[in-house]
Amino acid sequence: MPGVRWTGTGRAELSPQLDNHQLSRLVDTNDEWIVTRTGIRTRRLVAAGQGLTDLAVQAAQQALDAAGFTPLDVELLILATSTPDDLFGSASLVQERLGAKRAVAFDLTAACSGFVFGAVTAAQFIRTGAYGTTLVIGADVLSRWVDWQDRRTCILFGDGAGAVVLNPGVTDHLLGFELQNDGSQNACLTLAYQGEDRPLIDELTIPAGTYQPIFMNGQEVYKFAVRRVPDVIEKALFRAGLTSEQVDHFVLHQANQRILDAVAEKLGVPPARMLSNLAHYGNTSAASIPLMLDEAVRDGRVQPGQTLVLAGFGAGLTLGALVCRWG
Ligand code: COA
């Protein structure tokens, strides 16, 4: 049975920035409040005319370059996103624009856990021998769905895309994983469709409407993350036969610095091993883990052979962790 290897990372470069000072011109907030409560200082947003597909293609191409593969090598492409350009899915268009003509491609929705769910899904196809070179892209444009008048949520989110290439290998570098859902808390974080019943013909009424902006019960989501993320990481580590002391870097979904600090404390991990870049990007949903990973790989913090934990959590509610050996 082939194993899974991690062979390259990439990202989309977004130019427009919105810092906390600019945000305070939009809603009643200030830099100090946002930095103290979240650690976020600025966030990147898509440019006018730019879509989710553009970001995903850029990140994917960069990851393939880093891994030394071409789009024609790709056999499987998984696009983890909650904000496709098209509700029917954006993966096919990414496949086309990238020139990954041989790849089967599909969207996967698991909100901010999407990248971890996507990587674990990809690994199953690689392990069975069904597909070889695989792209897992995490991309989201939450700025489309944020209520920019709601100061409780609009301060948190940014746009972004990151990608990782996985390949079959002799040894398996996916050492363990754990995925979980808690639908009982679904209402805590939603981007929900709301329709009103409208008559279609005399005897038939159907709901017609559209998606509503992001709604979040911040305190409940915070409690969920701090309580459940350490547990899901411990379970993934148990499957890998490792302890948190043996992990070189923790790459968690970048939602809030206080969540990262609290999880590190619960796991007994020194803050330096809990990677963080959310000050510059905010919460980019499915993109945040591959964005952090790409940064740490390119600046040399993450080295081949090191042990990493990747962990995501978010709407659904969903959460998941995987343990891998880099490279
Ligand atoms: N600027 C200034 N004041 C703000 C504000 C803002 N942007 N947003 C809220 N406030 C105010 C509130 O109105 C409230 O004032 P009040 O006490 O007079 O009513 C006060 O600050 C405290 O609000 P609260 O919602 O209790 O703050 P908090 O400490 O829970 O922090 C979050 C809010 C959103 C930062 C925090 O709950 C959080 O990070 N939750 C997790 C969210 C998350 O990570 N979501 C994504 C998961 S994928």
Side-chain angles (χ1 to χ4, degrees):
M1 200 168 83
V4 176
R5 295 202 47 235
W6 309 76
T7 54
T9 62
R11 64 163 61 206
E13 305 292 348
L14 278 69
S15 336
Q17 269 198 64
L18 180 67
D19 69 21
N20 294 346
H21 298 288
Q22 290 167 300
L23 252 181
S24 68
R25 284 160 39 201
L26 205 59
V27 286
D28 180 14
T29 190
N30 58 75
D31 180 59
E32 201 224 326
W33 194 95
I34 301 173
V35 172
T36 314
R37 305 274 176 140
T38 71
I40 298 165
R41 291 182 184 277
T42 188
R43 67 280 299 140
R44 303 269 174 174
L45 303 177
V46 283
Q50 206 174 25
L52 184 283
T53 307
D54 302 308
L55 305 189
V57 169
Q58 235 188 79
Q61 185 59 64
Q62 215 185 77
L64 285 173
D65 292 345
F69 291 99
T70 72
L72 283 175
D73 294 318
V74 180
E75 295 181 16
L76 172 65
L77 185 160
I78 297 178
L79 174 63
T81 187
S82 307
T83 53
D85 290 334
D86 181 332
L87 259 190
F88 286 144
S90 288
S92 298
L93 205 51
V94 172
Q95 181 246 28
E96 164 65 18
R97 294 221 185 129
L98 188 63
K101 303 256 181 240
R102 295 171 56 229
V104 63
F106 57 87
D107 291 40
L108 180 151
T109 303
C112 302
S113 309
F115 183 78
V116 171
F117 278 51
V120 168
T121 303
Q124 310 315 308
F125 283 107
I126 292 173
R127 282 172 168 172
T128 58
Y131 297 117
T133 301
T134 296
L135 264 169
V136 182
I137 308 167
D140 266 310
V141 183
L142 284 181
S143 63
R144 288 175 175 166
W145 295 106
V146 163
D147 176 354
W148 289 103
Q149 303 306 316
D150 177 6
R151 68 175 182 172
R152 289 168 189 267
T153 54
C154 75
I155 56 155
L156 296 175
F157 299 106
D159 302 331
V164 171
V165 180
L166 306 185
N167 281 96
V170 179
T171 47
D172 199 348
H173 288 188
L174 175 60
L175 309 177
F177 68 86
E178 168 77 9
L179 306 177
Q180 294 180 6
N181 292 70
D182 186 352
S184 72
Q185 294 209 68
N186 181 263
C188 290
L189 184 50
T190 57
L191 201 175
Y193 179 86
Q194 250 177 44
E196 279 178 20
D197 288 346
R198 299 218 183 110
L200 188 64
I201 47 174
D202 286 348
E203 65 277 25
L204 189 62
T205 298
I206 57 163
T210 186
Y211 289 87
Q212 301 302 307
I214 294 170
F215 167 83
M216 185 183 71
N217 180 334
Q219 287 179 4
E220 284 306 315
V221 174
Y222 185 90
K223 281 191 269 180
F224 168 82
V226 171
R227 198 176 65 244
R228 299 278 297 267
V229 175
D231 175 62
V232 85
I233 290 175
E234 296 280 14
K235 286 197 164 70
L237 281 168
F238 178 77
R239 298 234 166 86
L242 295 171
T243 65
S244 51
E245 290 83 55
Q246 293 168 290
V247 176
D248 294 293
H249 303 287
F250 290 81
V251 185
L252 266 60
H253 168 50
Q254 306 283 301
N256 182 321
Q257 190 59 46
R258 283 160 62 213
I259 294 177
L260 298 183
D261 293 343
V263 172
E265 196 183 322
K266 278 202 168 177
L267 292 171
V269 167
R273 281 200 271 146
M274 182 67 69
L275 302 188
S276 171
N277 66 1
L278 60 81
H280 311 293
Y281 301 102
N283 177 344
T284 57
S285 191
S288 85
I289 292 173
L291 271 180
M292 183 66 253
L293 203 49
D294 181 63
E295 184 175 311
V297 167
R298 282 175 196 273
D299 69 20
R301 267 177 292 174
V302 168
Q303 293 287 333
Q306 286 187 332
T307 303
L308 311 183
V309 164
L310 314 186
F313 53 92
L317 297 179
T318 54
L319 72 165
L322 67 83
V323 187
C324 65
R325 180 145 302 131
W326 191 251

